[in-house]
Amino acid sequence: MVKHTATHLLMAALCRVLGPRTQQRGSHVAAQRLRLDVSVKGPLTDGQLAELDAAVQALIGRDEEVHTAELPLHQALQITGLRKTNEVYLDPVRVVSIGAHVEEPHSSDGTQHTSVELCCGTHLLRTGLIQDLVIVSERQLAKGISRLIAVTGQDAKQARAMGSALCEEVDSLCERSQAAPASLPVAQRQAKDIGRLTDVVDGATVPQRERRQLQQRLRALQRVANTRVRRLEDQAAAVQLRVVLAQSPDQMLLVDMIPGQPVTVLGKMVKLLSVERPHCSVMLLSSQPGGKVVCVCGVAQDLRNNLPAVDWALAVCAGMGGNAGGSAHIAKGIGNSSNLEEVIQMAVQYARSRM
């Protein structure tokens, strides 16, 4: 009963906010939520969602009486302001009116806060029993049709509370993200924290307007965090590459271990090296938490027929029980090993056998 009466209230609020030409295109009532499909010109704006919330809260707060009457179909169709769907109605038909008796006139321009519809469902006696209603989702089903999902009662109150809690979390994350991270691991953790909170916001049952605002803030934070990560990766790759080049003479083959670096840094090092030493084929490996080993390799152009980078990476990673992918030019992979020296020897032997 709660969700059914709430659907009528929401439809009345939609007609007031979007205009009396707004038509219901479908609805469904379940124990946990209600669904309402309506004709719209485009996605609802944050301002329209705020207006809808205010209109619905006003109807609930006024504790309007819900009236019903059974009338001949031809008489029911003469009621001013009557809303009906493209259904086949029985004769006589049941009329449900909120805020005014069925026989009283209803506004046809959508300005009066009443709802009158043909409906055979069960309803509450007063709108105040709904307690609260929150639109938690709004999306376009097709051009000109929007689907609204709403919750009521305690579920609606919990949705508002969750929205407030997530807003506080985003505020805290914004504050922590103001200062530039001191190191690449710190920057990576910040970027991951933003991604995890974004996933929570995307899937949480919260007011749709708040969700959009939080998503917008998190997208901006993610862009900044990703830029910081890329810059620190570039710096780390340049520094590590200088160390590798200083320790290694100018040679055709280079296989080395770079401790504690992510695969993204290894990849940037390989690309930089392909410019610094285009005749050199290189494989860089790095141990990761949990015994994992990542590798990135690049092969000089004149060796790619005999030593495709993807084949090299596959051979090395398969020896570690892992896998790899890429092209003849550059490839990357992952495996597990506690003996990096053995992995390096295997990588060297494989490459030399094909050079």
PDB file of all heavy atoms in Angstrom, residues 238-257:
ATOM      1  N   ALA A 238      62.574   7.924 -15.010  1.00  0.00           N
ATOM      2  CA  ALA A 238      63.778   8.631 -15.447  1.00  0.00           C
ATOM      3  C   ALA A 238      64.936   8.391 -14.473  1.00  0.00           C
ATOM      4  O   ALA A 238      66.078   8.145 -14.891  1.00  0.00           O
ATOM      5  CB  ALA A 238      63.488  10.121 -15.577  1.00  0.00           C
ATOM      6  N   VAL A 239      64.643   8.458 -13.168  1.00  0.00           N
ATOM      7  CA  VAL A 239      65.691   8.242 -12.160  1.00  0.00           C
ATOM      8  C   VAL A 239      66.220   6.817 -12.223  1.00  0.00           C
ATOM      9  O   VAL A 239      67.442   6.586 -12.239  1.00  0.00           O
ATOM     10  CB  VAL A 239      65.151   8.564 -10.747  1.00  0.00           C
ATOM     11  CG1 VAL A 239      66.133   8.097  -9.684  1.00  0.00           C
ATOM     12  CG2 VAL A 239      64.864  10.043 -10.612  1.00  0.00           C
ATOM     13  N   GLN A 240      65.320   5.837 -12.262  1.00  0.00           N
ATOM     14  CA  GLN A 240      65.739   4.435 -12.296  1.00  0.00           C
ATOM     15  C   GLN A 240      66.518   4.120 -13.566  1.00  0.00           C
ATOM     16  O   GLN A 240      67.466   3.347 -13.551  1.00  0.00           O
ATOM     17  CB  GLN A 240      64.513   3.528 -12.188  1.00  0.00           C
ATOM     18  CG  GLN A 240      63.829   3.538 -10.842  1.00  0.00           C
ATOM     19  CD  GLN A 240      64.666   2.870  -9.758  1.00  0.00           C
ATOM     20  OE1 GLN A 240      65.505   2.030 -10.038  1.00  0.00           O
ATOM     21  NE2 GLN A 240      64.436   3.257  -8.515  1.00  0.00           N
ATOM     22  N   LEU A 241      66.098   4.722 -14.672  1.00  0.00           N
ATOM     23  CA  LEU A 241      66.787   4.454 -15.933  1.00  0.00           C
ATOM     24  C   LEU A 241      68.219   4.978 -15.900  1.00  0.00           C
ATOM     25  O   LEU A 241      69.138   4.326 -16.413  1.00  0.00           O
ATOM     26  CB  LEU A 241      66.023   5.076 -17.094  1.00  0.00           C
ATOM     27  CG  LEU A 241      66.586   4.772 -18.484  1.00  0.00           C
ATOM     28  CD1 LEU A 241      66.577   3.272 -18.755  1.00  0.00           C
ATOM     29  CD2 LEU A 241      65.806   5.513 -19.568  1.00  0.00           C
ATOM     30  N   ARG A 242      68.422   6.141 -15.293  1.00  0.00           N
ATOM     31  CA  ARG A 242      69.787   6.669 -15.178  1.00  0.00           C
ATOM     32  C   ARG A 242      70.669   5.728 -14.383  1.00  0.00           C
ATOM     33  O   ARG A 242      71.843   5.520 -14.708  1.00  0.00           O
ATOM     34  CB  ARG A 242      69.765   8.064 -14.531  1.00  0.00           C
ATOM     35  CG  ARG A 242      69.270   9.167 -15.457  1.00  0.00           C
ATOM     36  CD  ARG A 242      69.649  10.541 -14.922  1.00  0.00           C
ATOM     37  NE  ARG A 242      68.960  10.848 -13.669  1.00  0.00           N
ATOM     38  CZ  ARG A 242      67.788  11.457 -13.609  1.00  0.00           C
ATOM     39  NH1 ARG A 242      67.153  11.801 -14.728  1.00  0.00           N
ATOM     40  NH2 ARG A 242      67.239  11.714 -12.442  1.00  0.00           N
ATOM     41  N   VAL A 243      70.107   5.125 -13.332  1.00  0.00           N
ATOM     42  CA  VAL A 243      70.869   4.161 -12.527  1.00  0.00           C
ATOM     43  C   VAL A 243      71.220   2.933 -13.352  1.00  0.00           C
ATOM     44  O   VAL A 243      72.363   2.456 -13.344  1.00  0.00           O
ATOM     45  CB  VAL A 243      70.064   3.756 -11.277  1.00  0.00           C
ATOM     46  CG1 VAL A 243      70.762   2.627 -10.520  1.00  0.00           C
ATOM     47  CG2 VAL A 243      69.846   4.952 -10.363  1.00  0.00           C
ATOM     48  N   VAL A 244      70.239   2.409 -14.089  1.00  0.00           N
ATOM     49  CA  VAL A 244      70.473   1.214 -14.905  1.00  0.00           C
ATOM     50  C   VAL A 244      71.529   1.479 -15.978  1.00  0.00           C
ATOM     51  O   VAL A 244      72.445   0.680 -16.198  1.00  0.00           O
ATOM     52  CB  VAL A 244      69.153   0.738 -15.545  1.00  0.00           C
ATOM     53  CG1 VAL A 244      69.422  -0.348 -16.587  1.00  0.00           C
ATOM     54  CG2 VAL A 244      68.197   0.229 -14.479  1.00  0.00           C
ATOM     55  N   LEU A 245      71.419   2.601 -16.666  1.00  0.00           N
ATOM     56  CA  LEU A 245      72.358   2.920 -17.737  1.00  0.00           C
ATOM     57  C   LEU A 245      73.770   3.155 -17.202  1.00  0.00           C
ATOM     58  O   LEU A 245      74.757   2.817 -17.862  1.00  0.00           O
ATOM     59  CB  LEU A 245      71.877   4.148 -18.509  1.00  0.00           C
ATOM     60  CG  LEU A 245      70.586   3.974 -19.322  1.00  0.00           C
ATOM     61  CD1 LEU A 245      70.206   5.272 -20.010  1.00  0.00           C
ATOM     62  CD2 LEU A 245      70.725   2.856 -20.342  1.00  0.00           C
ATOM     63  N   ALA A 246      73.850   3.730 -15.995  1.00  0.00           N
ATOM     64  CA  ALA A 246      75.166   3.968 -15.398  1.00  0.00           C
ATOM     65  C   ALA A 246      75.856   2.658 -15.034  1.00  0.00           C
ATOM     66  O   ALA A 246      77.085   2.559 -15.061  1.00  0.00           O
ATOM     67  CB  ALA A 246      75.021   4.848 -14.157  1.00  0.00           C
ATOM     68  N   GLN A 247      75.065   1.649 -14.697  1.00  0.00           N
ATOM     69  CA  GLN A 247      75.624   0.367 -14.275  1.00  0.00           C
ATOM     70  C   GLN A 247      75.827  -0.592 -15.441  1.00  0.00           C
ATOM     71  O   GLN A 247      76.520  -1.611 -15.290  1.00  0.00           O
ATOM     72  CB  GLN A 247      74.710  -0.293 -13.238  1.00  0.00           C
ATOM     73  CG  GLN A 247      74.598   0.486 -11.930  1.00  0.00           C
ATOM     74  CD  GLN A 247      73.571  -0.118 -10.986  1.00  0.00           C
ATOM     75  OE1 GLN A 247      72.789  -0.980 -11.377  1.00  0.00           O
ATOM     76  NE2 GLN A 247      73.590   0.344  -9.740  1.00  0.00           N
ATOM     77  N   SER A 248      75.237  -0.300 -16.579  1.00  0.00           N
ATOM     78  CA  SER A 248      75.280  -1.230 -17.704  1.00  0.00           C
ATOM     79  C   SER A 248      75.998  -0.590 -18.888  1.00  0.00           C
ATOM     80  O   SER A 248      75.652   0.521 -19.302  1.00  0.00           O
ATOM     81  CB  SER A 248      73.865  -1.629 -18.131  1.00  0.00           C
ATOM     82  OG  SER A 248      73.147  -2.165 -17.041  1.00  0.00           O
ATOM     83  N   PRO A 249      76.996  -1.257 -19.447  1.00  0.00           N
ATOM     84  CA  PRO A 249      77.662  -0.733 -20.644  1.00  0.00           C
ATOM     85  C   PRO A 249      76.716  -0.789 -21.841  1.00  0.00           C
ATOM     86  O   PRO A 249      75.665  -1.427 -21.789  1.00  0.00           O
ATOM     87  CB  PRO A 249      78.848  -1.687 -20.822  1.00  0.00           C
ATOM     88  CG  PRO A 249      78.392  -2.962 -20.175  1.00  0.00           C
ATOM     89  CD  PRO A 249      77.533  -2.565 -19.022  1.00  0.00           C
ATOM     90  N   ASP A 250      77.086  -0.097 -22.885  1.00  0.00           N
ATOM     91  CA  ASP A 250      76.283  -0.095 -24.105  1.00  0.00           C
ATOM     92  C   ASP A 250      76.314  -1.484 -24.710  1.00  0.00           C
ATOM     93  O   ASP A 250      77.363  -1.947 -25.179  1.00  0.00           O
ATOM     94  CB  ASP A 250      76.844   0.928 -25.088  1.00  0.00           C
ATOM     95  CG  ASP A 250      75.872   1.197 -26.226  1.00  0.00           C
ATOM     96  OD1 ASP A 250      74.763   0.638 -26.190  1.00  0.00           O
ATOM     97  OD2 ASP A 250      76.227   1.950 -27.146  1.00  0.00           O
ATOM     98  N   GLN A 251      75.176  -2.195 -24.652  1.00  0.00           N
ATOM     99  CA  GLN A 251      75.128  -3.584 -25.094  1.00  0.00           C
ATOM    100  C   GLN A 251      73.832  -3.877 -25.820  1.00  0.00           C
ATOM    101  O   GLN A 251      72.894  -3.100 -25.779  1.00  0.00           O
ATOM    102  CB  GLN A 251      75.293  -4.521 -23.882  1.00  0.00           C
ATOM    103  CG  GLN A 251      74.275  -4.246 -22.774  1.00  0.00           C
ATOM    104  CD  GLN A 251      74.630  -4.924 -21.469  1.00  0.00           C
ATOM    105  OE1 GLN A 251      75.806  -5.160 -21.181  1.00  0.00           O
ATOM    106  NE2 GLN A 251      73.626  -5.260 -20.671  1.00  0.00           N
ATOM    107  N   MET A 252      73.801  -5.043 -26.474  1.00  0.00           N
ATOM    108  CA  MET A 252      72.635  -5.424 -27.272  1.00  0.00           C
ATOM    109  C   MET A 252      71.499  -5.988 -26.422  1.00  0.00           C
ATOM    110  O   MET A 252      70.345  -5.942 -26.817  1.00  0.00           O
ATOM    111  CB  MET A 252      73.056  -6.475 -28.307  1.00  0.00           C
ATOM    112  CG  MET A 252      74.094  -5.988 -29.306  1.00  0.00           C
ATOM    113  SD  MET A 252      73.360  -4.918 -30.539  1.00  0.00           S
ATOM    114  CE  MET A 252      72.367  -6.083 -31.445  1.00  0.00           C
ATOM    115  N   LEU A 253      71.873  -6.540 -25.253  1.00  0.00           N
ATOM    116  CA  LEU A 253      70.868  -7.208 -24.407  1.00  0.00           C
ATOM    117  C   LEU A 253      71.016  -6.721 -22.977  1.00  0.00           C
ATOM    118  O   LEU A 253      72.124  -6.690 -22.423  1.00  0.00           O
ATOM    119  CB  LEU A 253      71.042  -8.725 -24.461  1.00  0.00           C
ATOM    120  CG  LEU A 253      70.087  -9.551 -23.576  1.00  0.00           C
ATOM    121  CD1 LEU A 253      68.648  -9.379 -24.028  1.00  0.00           C
ATOM    122  CD2 LEU A 253      70.492 -11.034 -23.596  1.00  0.00           C
ATOM    123  N   LEU A 254      69.870  -6.354 -22.371  1.00  0.00           N
ATOM    124  CA  LEU A 254      69.862  -5.906 -20.984  1.00  0.00           C
ATOM    125  C   LEU A 254      68.690  -6.549 -20.260  1.00  0.00           C
ATOM    126  O   LEU A 254      67.537  -6.351 -20.643  1.00  0.00           O
ATOM    127  CB  LEU A 254      69.748  -4.378 -20.924  1.00  0.00           C
ATOM    128  CG  LEU A 254      69.575  -3.754 -19.526  1.00  0.00           C
ATOM    129  CD1 LEU A 254      70.759  -4.079 -18.634  1.00  0.00           C
ATOM    130  CD2 LEU A 254      69.383  -2.242 -19.638  1.00  0.00           C
ATOM    131  N   VAL A 255      68.995  -7.327 -19.229  1.00  0.00           N
ATOM    132  CA  VAL A 255      67.976  -7.917 -18.360  1.00  0.00           C
ATOM    133  C   VAL A 255      68.343  -7.533 -16.935  1.00  0.00           C
ATOM    134  O   VAL A 255      69.455  -7.821 -16.475  1.00  0.00           O
ATOM    135  CB  VAL A 255      67.909  -9.449 -18.500  1.00  0.00           C
ATOM    136  CG1 VAL A 255      66.841 -10.010 -17.549  1.00  0.00           C
ATOM    137  CG2 VAL A 255      67.591  -9.840 -19.931  1.00  0.00           C
ATOM    138  N   ASP A 256      67.431  -6.879 -16.237  1.00  0.00           N
ATOM    139  CA  ASP A 256      67.760  -6.367 -14.909  1.00  0.00           C
ATOM    140  C   ASP A 256      66.545  -6.420 -14.001  1.00  0.00           C
ATOM    141  O   ASP A 256      65.404  -6.498 -14.462  1.00  0.00           O
ATOM    142  CB  ASP A 256      68.281  -4.938 -15.008  1.00  0.00           C
ATOM    143  CG  ASP A 256      69.177  -4.559 -13.824  1.00  0.00           C
ATOM    144  OD1 ASP A 256      69.247  -5.348 -12.859  1.00  0.00           O
ATOM    145  OD2 ASP A 256      69.791  -3.481 -13.884  1.00  0.00           O
ATOM    146  N   MET A 257      66.823  -6.367 -12.696  1.00  0.00           N
ATOM    147  CA  MET A 257      65.781  -6.358 -11.679  1.00  0.00           C
ATOM    148  C   MET A 257      65.717  -4.957 -11.073  1.00  0.00           C
ATOM    149  O   MET A 257      66.737  -4.410 -10.652  1.00  0.00           O
ATOM    150  CB  MET A 257      66.076  -7.397 -10.604  1.00  0.00           C
ATOM    151  CG  MET A 257      64.924  -7.623  -9.634  1.00  0.00           C
ATOM    152  SD  MET A 257      65.071  -6.651  -8.121  1.00  0.00           S
ATOM    153  CE  MET A 257      66.463  -7.417  -7.324  1.00  0.00           C
TER     154      MET A 257
END
